[in-house]
Structures are given as structure tokens and as C-alpha cells.
């Protein structure tokens, strides 16, 4: 058994939604959810759920081969600026590599991250696809 | 408390490479035997501590407490031993910890051994272990790895300063030409810009020849405050050591700066007054874009100019750097120190410089845990 139930389960809300940190002192927002503000080090922070919509700031097409990730190679990895402000690193899916570009509007979508096939655990988490509906 | 002088008294290395017929124990044995043979360490009475730098012993060698296992294997018991791990900068952290033990008066001589054995498994497995350099819970679990972040950075740099893919290849060409002269380098051959731009894509625009090779290696360094252990003129004094950490890529306001490196360099260069243009330097260039950014942080090139000026820099990574000397992960920082030692004293092969100062820089991943050391020739 390579995947861990408690390890994933305790962070399920971080994987099944996009949680960001909002600093109540300096006002900046950051990803991921933490108990401190990475910018001013304040502990006076709260967790906010992102709407999961943003745009691609930079992207790369990755052919880098990692054991266990063969099925998902090549993949598009991007820096995405969420509409709430913070930048997140995310995978862009459901798009031809010729169509991905800086400025592309994307939305979060729940996808499989890892699995222990056959019949094993599956981890799900957020990836990003081109925005297909208005919010 | 009197402030103790801390010296680098002796160093040894095996050539970086892929040792299919040798274990990590044999590589460590070779460098420690050479060190005992050439240093004045003599018997174990002069040695107070053993520090082992290694990153992947539990991942790839099924071994915890590798420092005790090596102490047994190398005949170093009952000396105290420990392993340090700060990702790719582990080797230089080990040197920094040896310095700290001596400065604190807890040891007068420390043997630092850097050893890594990456060739035990195929590349895809090594790559999997390398993903652990990032934050598993927020980065690697999604399948992201260092080379992806490096690619985003390189793309941004090329866009910002208007470089073509070919322009960005000058680092690799320079490092390979340096490595040809380093007898301990893994990739002792020259490459052309055409070869770099036509090598395999890892994460575009990053290609294989922008990256370090998979390497095995072992190096040993004797750090001491005991002047009796200095052999002839072969001696460096450690002048200053600083370390710093930094946030991951997506939290940085300035993507094209290296925050931890910037922080520690300002402290190092504030404490040690020397002309950096005259110093011999070994810096961390796991990927060519990181080499350019380090050179810019050092002030050796203006922002955005490093790809144009690297060819004229003849005091940086004379070893060939991580790119061409190779990158035996946990051993790399120890190699860098050994190389600067040899270049400033008896020579790294035929590579020898009359300079007084040396600077060694190492970092992990995208500058998240970095170390800088300034050394000065004793005579
Ligand atoms: Zn804040």
C-alpha cells in the first residue's frame, strides 16, 4: 500500500477545494492554506475558499518521466493567478497543447491524481481546464 | 571565548560518475582512505566528529542512520557521527555544521563525508525521489517536480529579456568546456549550442543538456582548528558561513531573483571584504537558468545579462559545475569545497589559480534552502 488514508483524509478539504490564506493584518492572500501569513508572518489569518477561477500566468509542457506518473505524461504545468489574487501551481487539462497560452482563463475541476490500480485507493484533487461556464 | 580559526586541511574525491560495480560504502571508503593517507590525521585520536551528507539513503539504499553504518564500515567507531540533509544543499550544510561544531568548541577536527548513489535505479525512479525536494502535500502530490518550476522560471526569463532558446545554451557549453579539464568531472566532453537545443525536452524550454546528469559520487573534507594537521601550504581558512531559506516559487513577488541566495550573499559579502571578480567560485547550477540567476545575484552580470557574459567568466565553476562535473546530490557541496581547495592550492588536475579568496554556493530546489561559504588561502 503506497497511498495513505489518514494522510490524505485529514487534508481532504485542501484537495477537494482550493483553500487560500487571507491575512487579516497585511491583507495579502496566499496559497496554500497555512496558519501564518507568508508575507508578514502574522498568525492573524483566516482560511478562504477560492472560487477556483483564474488565468494562466506561465506554463510548461512537461515530458519529464516519473515512476508512477507514466499515464499522465506529457502534461501541462502552469502558474495560475486565481481571481482572488494568489498564484497557485496547477496542471491544465482538457486542452490541446497548441491552445494553452498565457492569459487563458481556467477553472478548477476535480480529477484523479494518483491511484493504486487495480482496486486500490484513489487520490482526487484539483486540476484546471479552460473556463467553460460563466459564474 | 577566543574565536577559533577554522581550516580546511585536506580533501579527497572520486570521479563523479555511475559506479555499477561499487557500493556507496566502497566509494566512501576510497575517499576516506585517500584522506587519511594524504592528511596528517594519522590515527583516530585527532578526529572528534564525523558528519555524513547524504540525501537518498532511505529512498534508494534502504538505509537509515547511514552515518553509523559508515562509521562501522570505515573503522571510525567510536567517533560520534551524524547525517545532515537539506536537500540538494546538504553537502555544504555538512561543511557549515562542521564549522559550527569547531567554532562552538565541541570539536577540533571534523571529517565531512558526502556520498550519494543515484545509479542504483532507473532514471524514472530517481526522478520520483527528486520530486520529494518540493512540498509533497502541496506540490509533488500533484505530480509537479523541480524541473517544471525551473521551466516556468526559464520561460519567464527568456520572455523578460528577449533571449532565444539557443542564447540560453551558453551556460552548458561553458560548463562542459570547463569539465574537460577537471579529472573528477563526470561529463568530460564539450558540447555545442546545437547539441544543447536538440537534446531531449524535459519540460519545455528546459532540455536534457540544461540539466545535471544522474551521478554517483563521494568526497571527503577534513575541517579543523588544529594547525598541526595542515600539510605544507595546502590550507584554506573558512572566513564566513551563512545559510538561508525561502518560500516556494508561487509565493514570490520577484520570480527572477533568488531570495535565499540574495539574503546570504549580502551577509557574506558584508562580512568578507574582497573583490569577487578575483575569487574562485563554485556555484549551484542544477539547471542552466539557475546558474545565470546565481551569477546575477553575485553581481558578476547585470540582471538579464548572464547568458551574454558567462563565456567571459573564468572564475566560476572551473569544475564544470553541477551541469558537467555532475550532481551526486548529497555529495555535491562537499565536492564544491574540495574543488575550490584544490584550485587554490595544489591544483584540480592542471586547473590552479593564484587567487586568495574562494566562494562556494549551494542551494536546494529553487533556492529554498541555501548555503554560502567564503574561504581564504592561508599562505
Ligand atoms: Zn500578512
Amino acid at each position: 500500500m503506497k497511498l495513505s488514508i489518514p494522510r490524505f483524509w485529514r487534508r481532504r478539504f485542501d484537495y477537494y477545494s482550493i483553500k487560500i490564506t487571507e491575512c487579516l493584518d497585511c491583507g495579502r492572500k496566499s496559497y496554500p492554506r497555512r496558519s501564518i501569513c507568508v508575507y508578514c508572518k502574522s498568525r492573524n489569518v483566516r482560511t478562504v475558499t477560492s472560487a477556483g477561477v483564474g488565468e494562466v500566468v506561465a506554463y510548461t509542457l512537461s515530458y519529464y518521466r516519473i515512476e508512477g506518473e507514466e499515464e499522465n505524461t506529457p502534461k501541462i504545468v502552469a502558474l495560475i493567478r486565481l481571481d482572488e489574487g494568489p498564484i497557485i501551481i496547477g496542471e491544465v487539462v482538457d486542452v490541446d497543447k497548441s491552445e494553452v497560452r498565457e492569459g487563458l482563463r481556467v477553472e478548477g475541476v476535480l480529477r484523479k491524481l494518483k491511484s493504486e490500480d487495480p482496486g486500490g485507493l484513489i487520490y482526487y484533487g484539483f486540476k484546471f481546464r479552460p473556463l467553460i461556464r460563466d459564474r | 571565548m577566543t574565536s577559533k580559526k577554522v581550516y580546511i586541511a585536506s580533501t579527497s574525491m572520486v570521479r563523479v560518475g555511475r559506479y555499477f560495480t561499487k557500493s556507496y560504502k566502497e566509494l566512501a571508503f576510497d575517499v576516506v582512505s585517500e584522506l587519511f593517507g594524504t592528511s596528517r590525521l594519522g590515527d583516530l585520536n585527532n578526529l572528534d566528529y564525523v558528519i555524513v551528507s547524504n540525501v537518498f539513503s532511505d529512498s534508494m539504499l534502504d538505509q537509515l542512520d547511514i552515518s553509523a553504518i559508515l562509521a562501522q564500515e570505515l573503522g571510525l567507531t567510536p567517533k560520534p557521527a551524524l547525517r545532515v540533509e537539506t536537500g540538494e544543499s546538504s553537502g555544504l550544510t555538512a561543511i557549515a555544521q562542521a564549522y559550527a561544531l569547531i567554532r562552538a568548541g565541541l570539536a577540533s577536527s571534523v571529517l565531512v563525508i558526502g556520498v550519494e548513489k543515484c545509479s542504483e535505479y532507473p532514471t524514472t525512479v530517481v526522478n520520483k525521489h527528486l520530486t520529494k525536494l518540493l512540498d509533497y502535500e502541496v506540490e509533488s502530490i500533484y505530480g509537479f517536480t523541480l524541473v517544471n518550476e525551473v521551466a516556468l522560471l526559464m520561460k519567464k526569463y527568456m520572455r523578460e529579456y528577449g533571449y532565444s532558446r539557443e542564447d540560453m545554451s551558453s551556460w552548458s557549453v561553458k560548463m562542459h568546456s570547463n569539465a574537460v579539464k577537471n579529472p573528477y568531472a563526470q561529463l568530460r566532453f564539450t558540447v555545442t549550442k546545437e547539441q544543447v537545443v536538440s537534446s531531449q525536452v524535459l519540460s519545455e524550454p528546459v532540455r536534457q543538456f540544461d540539466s545535471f546528469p544522474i551521478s554517483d559520487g563521494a568526497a571527503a573534507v577534513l575541517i579543523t582548528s588544529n594547525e598541526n594537521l595542515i600539510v605544507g601550504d595546502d590550507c584554506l581558512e573558512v572566513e564566513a558561513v551563512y545559510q538561508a531559506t525561502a518560500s516556494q516559487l508561487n509565493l514570490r513577488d520577484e520570480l527572477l531573483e533568488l531570495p535565499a541566495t540574495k539574503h546570504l550573499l549580502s551577509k557574506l559579502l558584508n562580512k568578507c571584504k574582497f573583490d569577487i571578480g578575483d575569487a574562485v567560485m563554485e556555484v549551484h547550477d542544477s539547471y542552466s537558468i539557475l546558474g545565470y540567476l546565481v551569477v546575477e545575484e553575485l553581481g558578476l552580470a547585470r540582471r538579464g545579462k548572464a547568458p551574454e557574459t558567462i563565456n567571459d567568466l573564468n572564475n566560476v565553476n572551473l569544475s564544470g559545475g553541477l551541469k558537467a562535473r555532475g550532481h551526486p546530490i548529497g555529495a555535491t557541496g562537499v565536492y564544491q569545497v574540495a574543488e575550490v581547495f584544490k584550485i587554490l592550492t595544489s591544483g584540480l588536475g592542471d586547473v590552479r589559480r593564484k587567487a586568495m579568496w574562494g566562494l562556494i554556493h549551494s542551494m536546494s530546489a529553487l533556492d529554498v534552502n541555501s548555503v554560502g561559504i567564503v574561504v581564504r588561502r592561508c599562505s
Side-chain angles (χ1 to χ4, degrees):
Chain A
M1 180 174 286
K2 285 177 289 193
L3 302 180
S4 158
I5 295 173
R7 195 177 178 199
F8 194 87
W9 180 84
R10 79 172 69 93
R11 286 181 56 82
R12 62 199 178 283
F13 299 116
D14 295 283
Y15 295 127
Y16 297 160
S17 58
I18 299 168
K19 300 289 188 197
I20 54 186
T21 308
E22 180 180 2
C23 180
L24 299 173
D25 284 337
C26 78
R28 290 194 70 175
K29 297 190 183 109
S30 54
Y31 172 88
R33 172 179 66 86
R34 282 185 176 140
S35 305
I36 53 108
C37 168
V38 70
Y39 297 107
C40 75
K41 318 298 186 196
S42 167
R43 287 172 157 69
N44 186 19
V45 297
R46 65 170 183 175
T47 300
V48 179
T49 302
S50 166
V53 179
E55 69 178 48
V56 171
V57 175
Y59 67 92
T60 176
L61 182 61
S62 178
Y63 296 90
Y64 192 73
R65 296 181 309 130
I66 300 168
E67 187 198 34
E69 305 273 338
E70 293 86 351
E71 270 182 36
N72 196 29
T73 308
K75 62 172 174 278
I76 297 164
V77 180
L79 287 176
I80 292 156
R81 186 182 300 281
L82 296 169
D83 287 352
E84 293 87 354
I87 291 180
I88 181 173
I89 182 164
E91 182 180 344
V92 182
V93 295
D94 296 356
V95 63
D96 189 86
K97 63 178 190 282
S98 64
E99 289 166 30
V100 64
R101 57 182 168 79
E102 287 165 26
L104 180 71
R105 296 282 294 161
V106 292
E107 64 184 351
V109 57
L110 206 57
R111 288 292 161 87
K112 186 167 85 175
L113 298 181
K114 293 177 191 303
S115 66
E116 275 180 343
D117 290 330
L121 287 175
I122 302 176
Y123 284 180
Y124 289 94
F126 266 85
K127 298 186 180 183
F128 293 85
R129 68 182 176 195
L131 184 63
I132 55 173
R133 62 193 163 95
D134 273 314
R135 308 214 173 188
Chain B
M1 189 187 114
T2 54
S3 127
K4 280 197 178 62
K5 290 195 171 191
V6 179
Y7 303 101
I8 298 170
S10 202
T11 68
S12 64
M13 301 176 264
V14 295
R15 183 179 172 188
V16 180
R18 295 188 177 204
Y19 289 89
F20 295 112
T21 60
K22 282 197 175 190
S23 74
Y24 78 93
K25 292 178 180 174
E26 292 168 289
L27 295 179
F29 182 85
D30 288 350
V31 291
V32 170
S33 298
E34 186 189 333
L35 195 84
F36 272 87
T38 55
S39 75
R40 292 193 176 164
L41 203 46
D43 57 30
L44 287 183
N45 289 333
N46 285 320
L47 185 66
D48 302 307
Y49 231 102
V50 179
I51 299 182
V52 176
S53 171
N54 169 276
V55 174
F56 290 125
S57 73
D58 29 349
S59 302
M60 283 195 253
L61 306 173
D62 299 299
Q63 189 63 63
L64 283 174
D65 200 2
I66 191 174
S67 67
I69 303 298
L70 280 177
Q72 295 164 355
E73 189 74 18
L74 306 178
L76 300 171
T77 54
K79 300 299 170 185
L82 60 85
R83 167 196 180 193
V84 300
E85 189 271 300
T86 60
E88 295 175 277
S89 59
S90 299
L92 209 51
T93 300
I95 302 281
Q97 289 303 304
Y99 173 83
L101 279 174
I102 294 170
R103 287 295 298 260
L106 298 172
S108 66
S109 293
V110 181
L111 171 63
V112 177
I113 305 169
V115 64
E116 201 73 63
K117 200 75 180 61
C118 290
S119 73
E120 309 290 39
Y121 290 97
T123 303
T124 57
V125 177
V126 179
N127 290 351
K128 181 183 75 179
H129 296 309
L130 284 167
T131 69
K132 298 172 184 174
L133 292 170
L134 304 185
D135 184 336
Y136 178 79
E137 289 188 343
V138 298
E139 295 171 305
S140 341
I141 195 171
Y142 294 97
F144 308 144
T145 188
L146 176 57
V147 70
N148 299 139
E149 299 195 346
V150 167
L152 294 167
L153 207 61
M154 182 168 169
K155 219 168 183 177
K156 170 102 177 141
Y157 188 96
M158 291 166 68
R159 169 76 50 92
E160 187 105 352
Y161 300 115
Y163 286 113
S164 70
R165 181 47 266 215
E166 194 178 318
D167 296 334
M168 297 297 285
S169 308
S170 49
W171 185 275
S172 305
V173 172
K174 178 77 173 180
M175 290 305 120
H176 274 263
S177 85
N178 286 351
V180 169
K181 297 175 216 113
N182 174 6
Y184 301 97
Q186 181 173 3
L187 306 179
R188 298 184 67 196
F189 52 85
T190 58
V191 299
T192 62
K193 285 191 173 188
E194 294 67 41
Q195 284 173 296
V196 177
V197 300
S198 58
S199 63
Q200 192 183 359
V201 176
L202 298 181
S203 188
E204 55 82 29
V206 178
R207 288 173 180 266
Q208 184 69 52
F209 276 26
D210 292 304
S211 165
F212 58 93
I214 286 173
S215 314
D216 300 335
V221 171
L222 178 62
I223 316 264
T224 185
S225 57
N226 181 352
E227 294 181 5
N228 295 326
L229 297 184
I230 294 167
V231 183
D233 292 338
D234 285 355
C235 169
L236 301 181
E237 186 182 340
V238 181
E239 295 285 331
V241 174
Y242 285 102
Q243 299 188 246
T245 50
S247 292
Q248 66 264 49
L249 179 70
N250 66 301
L251 291 167
R252 294 183 188 174
D253 291 325
E254 297 292 341
L255 290 183
L256 299 182
E257 293 184 4
L258 298 172
T261 293
K262 178 189 287 293
H263 188 79
L264 71 87
L265 283 178
S266 76
K267 292 200 164 199
L268 271 184
L269 300 177
N270 194 40
K271 178 164 183 204
C272 305
K273 304 293 182 197
F274 63 100
D275 185 350
I276 204 163
D278 293 336
V280 165
M281 283 170 271
E282 286 293 327
V283 305
H284 187 97
D285 61 329
S286 51
Y287 294 92
S288 46
I289 177 64
L290 298 182
Y292 294 133
L293 293 178
V294 173
V295 161
E296 291 176 10
E297 291 296 349
L298 281 165
L300 296 170
R302 283 193 291 125
R303 294 254 172 232
K305 293 291 177 198
E308 294 167 22
T309 52
I310 179 62
N311 197 43
D312 302 325
L313 278 180
N314 291 316
N315 58 342
V316 176
N317 286 6
L318 297 173
S319 68
L322 280 64
K323 172 70 208 75
R325 166 234 296 118
H327 185 19
I329 313 290
T332 297
V334 186
Y335 271 90
Q336 291 175 306
V337 169
E339 287 155 356
V340 169
F341 177 88
K342 291 194 188 307
I343 293 166
L344 290 178
T345 59
S346 55
L348 178 70
D350 295 329
V351 182
R352 194 173 173 183
R353 292 293 154 90
K354 285 271 174 238
M356 284 303 292
W357 295 86
L359 187 152
I360 304 114
H361 162 268
S362 183
M363 63 189 180
S364 190
L366 275 190
D367 195 37
V368 297
N369 200 345
S370 299
V371 193
I373 295 182
V374 169
V375 294
R376 189 171 187 272
R377 197 148 53 85
C378 296
S379 56

